[in-house]
Amino acid sequence: MLDNVPILPEAASSVAGQIDIFYWFLVLVTAVMSVLIAALIVVFAVKYRRRSDTEIPPELHENKWVEASWIVIPFLVFMVIFFWGAWLYFDINRMPRNATDVYVVAKQWMWKFHHPGGQTEINDLHVPVGQPIRLIMISQDVIHDFYVPEFRVHTDVLPNRYRYAWFEATKPGVYNLFCSEYCGTEHSRMIGKVYVVEAAEYQQWISGGVSGSAAEKGEELFSKYACNTCHTDDSSARGPTLTGLFGTDVILDTGERVVADEGYLRESILDPREKIVMGFDAIMPSFTGQLNEEQVLQLIAYLKSLASPEDSAPVMSTPTGGEAVPPAAQRAVQNETDGGSDDE
């Protein structure tokens, strides 16, 4: 509806229209209030100006209806802005369950994308039109910011912490990708392209020759670093079982519960003594410095592949990177409440 407005980029995602309407509502309210206040200043300055040095201004008494109106009307307007903005905030951060995961590693000065099938791209991202895409992003060095104006997607990408964003492109085309956080002397060169193609074309592209999926590469790393010697499924294992772990509730030796999401898995790989699973000793060595961010993502893709499709379904994400409890975690909590046993 607002595509022809020249001061805004094209709206090419499923949420862009909602954001534009809200944006123009704020512009309209701001413009009306600015014009009204400026007009009243001029009118009052002329009407109540001092006409002579001996003039004594008449005594004015308050008008309760006028006073009530400038309290109630702005209050109602701000409430509309608050509830509309809150509804929009949660709506655009609610991840579709059928979203396709794409891992993103940002570094000075490039974007590297990892598709689940094993394809990787640098500064280019191919996605199908009409398919929700969930981005799991991390920075290898400093703070970056993933920004596609046409999608109205704008999310900080932080070191040592996964951030999430999603979009569903609605129009085939080529769109600009920017880093909107100053990240160094060549920040302005950290740009890329998002290629939105038809589903058939995307399937043809995604099926191009690759040596293995991200999960398969992660499984190779799992064996290479001998993780399978401790994380077995039998009762004598020195580490907790990883089968079906992703998305479930984990009970720590402190009694605290955490959700086994991407952030927890990453921390457990690089800093395994930070959160010890109840019933196990802190014997796992740290892999910090042995694995880069891409290898960590491959390991996580492998661990996610050990979960059921329902457990690995995306859940609502917040801009701070936190996630709501997924269905599997809810089942774990319910099982314990009902007297069920823990995996550990």
Side-chain angles (χ1 to χ4, degrees):
M1 181 174 65
L2 299 174
D3 288 351
N4 296 325
V5 179
I7 62 174
L8 287 182
E10 179 183 8
S13 75
S14 57
V15 301
Q18 302 176 57
I19 295 175
D20 288 352
I21 293 173
F22 184 61
Y23 170 79
W24 283 113
F25 175 75
L26 295 178
V27 171
L28 177 63
V29 170
T30 303
V32 169
M33 293 302 297
S34 299
V35 171
L36 178 62
I37 292 173
L40 289 176
I41 290 175
V42 173
V43 169
F44 290 159
V46 173
K47 182 176 180 179
Y48 298 107
R49 70 186 186 279
R50 192 174 188 182
R51 294 173 173 77
S52 69
D53 293 339
T54 58
E55 180 184 7
I56 300 177
E59 184 175 352
L60 298 177
H61 298 280
E62 71 278 7
N63 184 319
K64 290 185 171 51
W65 287 106
V66 172
E67 292 189 357
S69 65
W70 71 46
I71 295 174
V72 173
I73 293 176
F75 173 77
L76 294 177
V77 171
F78 285 125
M79 285 298 99
V80 169
I81 293 174
F82 172 77
F83 284 107
W84 189 354
W87 172 80
L88 185 60
Y89 175 86
F90 287 106
D91 188 57
I92 64 179
N93 283 288
R94 186 173 295 114
M95 302 283 177
R97 291 191 172 275
N98 61 337
T100 299
D101 286 347
V102 174
Y103 297 101
V104 184
V105 177
K107 61 182 79 174
Q108 293 173 322
W109 288 268
M110 58 181 283
W111 299 97
K112 190 166 185 178
F113 301 95
H114 298 257
H115 294 268
Q119 296 81 0
T120 59
E121 301 181 89
I122 294 178
N123 292 337
D124 288 336
L125 173 62
H126 286 76
V127 297
V129 65
Q131 169 64 38
I133 303 294
R134 184 172 80 139
L135 303 174
I136 304 170
M137 303 183 288
I138 194 167
S139 170
Q140 189 170 297
D141 36 51
V142 299
I143 299 176
H144 301 279
D145 196 302
F146 185 93
Y147 179 39
V148 181
E150 288 82 359
F151 298 164
R152 311 298 190 263
V153 174
H154 194 190
T155 304
D156 281 342
V157 183
L158 309 178
N160 304 317
R161 180 179 175 183
Y162 290 124
R163 296 299 305 275
Y164 302 87
W166 77 277
F167 65 85
E168 180 181 335
T170 55
K171 300 177 182 178
V174 181
Y175 304 99
N176 291 316
L177 163 63
F178 300 102
C179 173
S180 62
E181 181 79 32
Y182 180 74
C183 57
T185 55
E186 297 187 53
H187 156 73
S188 62
R189 297 179 60 184
M190 192 173 171
I191 57 178
K193 299 287 185 184
V194 179
Y195 296 88
V196 180
V197 298
E198 297 292 348
E201 184 179 354
Y202 177 75
Q203 286 302 322
Q204 184 178 7
W205 179 86
I206 203 71
S207 60
V210 292
S211 57
S213 68
E216 290 171 342
K217 294 176 181 176
E219 185 175 11
E220 293 174 4
L221 292 171
F222 196 78
S223 299
K224 176 182 177 181
Y225 287 96
C227 308
N228 51 0
T229 60
C230 291
H231 292 286
T232 59
D233 292 338
D234 56 72
S235 58
S236 60
R238 293 186 295 175
T241 179
L242 303 179
T243 302
L245 171 66
F246 182 76
T248 62
D249 235 17
V250 176
I251 303 177
L252 307 180
D253 60 354
T254 60
E256 181 187 2
R257 290 175 179 272
V258 295
V259 176
D261 56 7
E262 289 89 353
Y264 169 79
L265 295 179
R266 181 182 183 277
E267 184 180 40
S268 297
I269 294 170
L270 299 181
D271 191 9
R273 301 194 178 188
E274 181 64 26
K275 292 184 174 68
I276 305 300
V277 177
M278 180 175 287
F280 293 89
D281 297 325
I283 59 174
M284 178 173 166
S286 170
F287 286 88
T288 301
Q290 301 184 59
L291 300 171
N292 59 34
E293 292 294 350
E294 297 167 24
Q295 291 173 318
V296 173
L297 287 173
Q298 290 167 354
L299 274 172
I300 292 175
Y302 169 63
L303 299 180
K304 291 172 69 175
S305 73
L306 301 177
S308 66
E310 181 184 359
D311 292 342
S312 60
V315 296
M316 178 180 174
S317 174
T318 69
T320 58
E323 291 193 350
V325 179
Q330 297 172 4
R331 290 199 303 275
V333 174
Q334 186 61 45
N335 288 338
E336 175 150 320
T337 304
D338 297 340
S341 61
D342 295 315
D343 292 337
E344 294 84 4

